[in-house]
Amino acid sequence: MKKSKDDIIFEAVNTFFVTVFFIIVLYPLIFVISASISDPSLVSQGKVVLLPKGLNFDGYRRVLEYDDIWIGYRNTIFYTIAGTLISLALTLTAAYPLARRDFVGKNVFVIYFTITMFFSGGLIPTYMVVKALGMRNTVFSQILLGAVSFMNIVIVRTFYQTSIPEELQQAAQIDGCSYARLFTSIILPLAKPVIAVMALFYGVGRWNSYFTALIYLSDRNLYPLQMILREILIINEINMEMLMTEGELEVIHKRVELATLLKYCVIIVSTLPVIMAYPFLQKYFVKGIMVGAIKG
Amino acid sequence: MAELGQGVVVNLDPKPHHNKKSKLKKMLNDYQLYLFILPSVLYFLIFHYAPIYGVQLAFKDFVATKGIWGSPWVGLKHFKLFFSSYYFWEIIGNTVGISLYSLIAGFPIPIIFALMLNEVSNKHYKKLVQTVSYAPHFISTVVMVGMLYIFLHPVYGIANTLIKFLGFEAVDFINKPEYFKSLYVWSDIWQHTGWNSVIYFAVLSNIDPEQHESAIIDGASRLQRIWYINVPVLMPTAVILLILNAGSIMSVGFEKVYLMQTPLNIKASEVISTYVYKVGLQSARYSFSTAVGLFNSVINFMLLVLVNRVAKKLSSTSLW
């Protein structure tokens, strides 16, 4: 099919705008990376525009020596893995009976779950429940709160219904397969795409959250990475030992420059794991989102 | 053997079980299914329904020694206190202002982006733009706001370096109340447009190419084809998402606003969720804070029902 003149103009204009958007999204990301490995004084003078200048890895060296970050990292990895496993276990199992046509009492459960989407007790009543359970200042507050959302159960249920043939389940049942067996040896292996999507949703959510920690934790040793980041990036509380090197810190603006350099490095160090996991899981995104959308 | 029997029952009798006895028998037979759903039922019971029980605090004066149940009823005292408080209109104004701004600016952009990206003919470029556009979605709120602070720093930030280079005065964006809403909304758009467009993009890729081919034969231009084929296909999805968004006009998420708040921009940045946190947990006024939270959820729910009804009338698409 040959292109008309109008089409060529259209494509040129369209590609131009898409490219503008592309640059707007990409530029800040590249800038942070470049600034994190550049000479901090060149960055503050505005000389680093796109590519790094005065290459140095001093910032990363200092970040890696900062104990709080390691503690935060350790806690976050634990909260993310444990939290995601719990979330997956609850979501994948709850969705299964709801996906079966012959499940007696299905509607009662659906109503029970749906109500939780529209009504919640709010901050204080939830806080009081957590307090009453003695979960404040424990890891349980960090891995149990927000473990399941009905929205995700619906996505998984829809996936079970649309992507796993009913005949397969019936055949297995005729062979004397129990529901538990059916679930572990037929449903789960076939549900890999939706498991990947759920793991991503829950995992990224856990990795990035600071709210539950802000509300329920006061023990610094339990702080997740995001709480440490908040101190560094937002409250501007940087352990000054981190900035100390002989003689260098007499000048106040040197100190600010160094603090800013550390911020760039901290951003990279904390975001890297998520960005790295993302290409592996990306192929499942669209599928997962579409499955969820069918129900609407 | 019991399991064998169970399987046979399911397959020989696909009709719904009408009498109570066979229903009960089926439930007993399927006890495993109930064990499957039990953990989630308990989860919601503890972390959703138990707090809903605590909502009665909004109508009581909480006394720690007496507990939730034993504290005295005070009717609508806390609601009246909130409605007549000095901050009431400011907080409501900020909350609604930020959400409406987000909705009006943030809702169409992913649709437009998906439509435009869909027209890019180079497959590799399309894929690249798409992949990069998702990436910011995975940045945490703390890092996102941290980036704003760094980029907009009045002395060292790159934005002000540029402004000064162009010969203007540096602006302290973060601390100026008049910039708060725009910073909040546009940084959100930067972060989530790519991700929010995924669903539209997926819908577009499902369009039957024959539709476009026959439109071309009929002499439709490129823009006409987008307007008359692609846009209508996106409408049902867009309406559903619009309803969901509109239902939360009165709730601005806590996380980002709280991080962006400074003592200097507080007039523009205090919203219901941050207020609930401050009076509730920082000042320990449990009952008052619960009342504010309850007021917020009731309005949210009413909005959801209302918007859903409007959408049903206008486009025959609705949530339920």
Side-chain angles (χ1 to χ4, degrees), chain A residues 15-144:
Chain A
T15 309
F16 172 76
F17 281 113
V18 168
T19 306
V20 168
F21 178 86
F22 180 60
I23 292 168
I24 292 173
V25 173
L26 191 60
Y27 179 69
L29 302 174
I30 293 188
F31 181 80
V32 171
I33 297 172
S34 297
S36 76
I37 50 174
S38 293
D39 180 344
S41 58
L42 292 176
V43 176
S44 75
Q45 290 162 31
K47 289 192 173 141
V48 174
V49 175
L50 182 67
L51 296 174
K53 280 200 181 115
L55 205 64
N56 91 82
F57 293 90
D58 192 38
Y60 286 102
R61 188 180 56 75
R62 286 169 194 263
V63 165
L64 296 182
E65 284 166 5
Y66 197 18
D67 288 342
D68 282 358
I69 289 183
W70 287 109
I71 295 172
Y73 232 102
R74 183 199 65 195
N75 290 335
T76 291
I77 289 173
F78 173 70
Y79 298 150
T80 303
I81 293 176
T84 306
L85 287 178
I86 291 173
S87 296
L88 284 179
L90 290 171
T91 309
L92 295 172
T93 51
Y96 181 60
L98 297 180
R100 290 191 65 97
R101 254 186 289 175
D102 60 345
F103 182 53
V104 180
K106 185 158 82 179
N107 287 336
V108 177
F109 288 107
V110 168
I111 292 168
Y112 177 85
F113 289 138
T114 309
I115 288 173
T116 64
M117 283 173 70
F118 298 109
F119 297 99
S120 76
L123 179 67
I124 298 298
T126 310
Y127 177 81
M128 296 182 80
V129 169
V130 173
K131 195 174 157 190
L133 292 170
M135 280 177 19
R136 248 177 354 152
N137 241 341
T138 67
V139 295
F140 297 106
S141 66
Q142 302 304 303
I143 57 180
L144 286 180

Side-chain angles (χ1 to χ4, degrees), chain B residues 43-318:
Chain B
Y43 170 82
F44 283 113
L45 187 69
I46 297 168
F47 295 108
H48 274 266
Y49 283 96
I52 288 176
Y53 168 81
V55 165
Q56 56 176 288
L57 271 184
F59 307 98
K60 289 183 163 183
D61 260 339
F62 181 65
V63 183
T65 48
K66 291 180 182 166
I68 295 176
W69 187 245
S71 298
W73 292 96
V74 293
L76 297 175
K77 175 183 153 189
H78 300 294
F79 293 91
K80 286 178 188 152
L81 202 62
F82 177 51
F83 297 150
S84 59
S85 89
Y86 170 70
Y87 302 104
F88 179 73
W89 289 110
E90 194 175 286
I91 293 171
I92 300 291
N94 287 338
T95 309
V96 174
I98 291 173
S99 333
L100 278 182
Y101 190 169
S102 294
L103 193 64
I104 292 165
F107 185 73
I109 291 179
I111 302 178
I112 296 166
F113 176 63
L115 285 169
M116 288 175 76
L117 192 58
N118 192 49
E119 299 300 319
V120 171
S121 46
N122 184 323
K123 275 214 175 75
H124 298 288
Y125 187 56
K126 198 194 258 183
K127 188 90 205 148
L128 177 72
V129 174
Q130 214 185 356
T131 308
V132 169
S133 73
Y134 297 163
H137 178 79
F138 295 94
I139 293 175
S140 75
T141 315
V142 178
V143 167
M144 179 69 235
V145 178
M147 281 166 67
L148 283 179
Y149 275 81
I150 302 174
F151 290 159
L152 302 176
H153 191 283
V155 182
Y156 301 99
I158 185 167
N160 278 311
T161 309
L162 181 70
I163 289 173
K164 281 182 280 188
F165 175 78
L166 295 174
F168 297 100
E169 288 272 303
V171 185
D172 189 0
F173 291 101
I174 295 282
N175 284 317
K176 287 253 162 78
E178 60 265 40
Y179 293 115
F180 183 84
K181 288 189 181 69
S182 295
L183 281 183
Y184 180 91
V185 170
W186 289 99
S187 59
D188 243 26
I189 290 174
W190 176 79
Q191 202 181 354
H192 301 298
T193 291
W195 181 256
N196 291 342
S197 73
V198 174
I199 185 156
Y200 298 117
F201 204 67
V203 173
L204 286 176
S205 63
N206 279 345
I207 294 179
D208 187 352
E210 269 180 35
Q211 275 196 47
H212 279 280
E213 278 155 26
S214 52
I216 292 170
I217 293 168
D218 290 344
S221 75
R222 189 87 169 248
L223 279 172
Q224 280 173 323
R225 278 188 285 129
I226 295 172
W227 187 249
Y228 291 108
I229 300 176
N230 291 358
V231 173
V233 167
L234 294 181
M235 283 317 281
T237 313
V239 171
I240 293 272
L241 291 177
L242 189 63
I243 297 172
L244 286 173
N245 284 328
S248 50
I249 277 185
M250 280 288 281
S251 57
V252 174
F254 171 89
E255 296 209 347
K256 191 168 169 191
V257 174
Y258 186 65
L259 293 173
M260 287 177 68
Q261 273 181 356
T262 67
L264 295 176
N265 70 21
I266 198 80
K267 271 188 92 61
S269 64
E270 192 79 292
V271 296
I272 295 178
S273 57
T274 53
Y275 186 66
V276 166
Y277 170 71
K278 284 176 192 165
V279 295
L281 287 184
Q282 291 184 341
S283 322
R285 294 167 65 193
Y286 286 0
S287 290
F288 181 68
S289 174
T290 307
V292 177
L294 178 61
F295 163 76
N296 195 8
S297 3
V298 169
I299 302 273
N300 273 342
F301 187 68
M302 279 163 32
L303 276 171
L304 187 73
V305 172
L306 185 78
V307 179
N308 192 45
R309 193 163 289 173
V310 173
K312 211 171 192 170
K313 278 237 169 80
L314 293 181
S315 68
S316 75
T317 312
S318 85

Side-chain angles (χ1 to χ4, degrees), chain B residues 23-39:
Chain B
K23 214 171 191 175
L24 197 67
K25 202 174 154 199
K26 170 108 178 81
M27 284 173 77
L28 283 173
N29 252 324
D30 291 356
Y31 76 95
Q32 283 186 343
L33 290 180
Y34 297 92
L35 290 181
F36 271 91
I37 209 166
L38 184 66

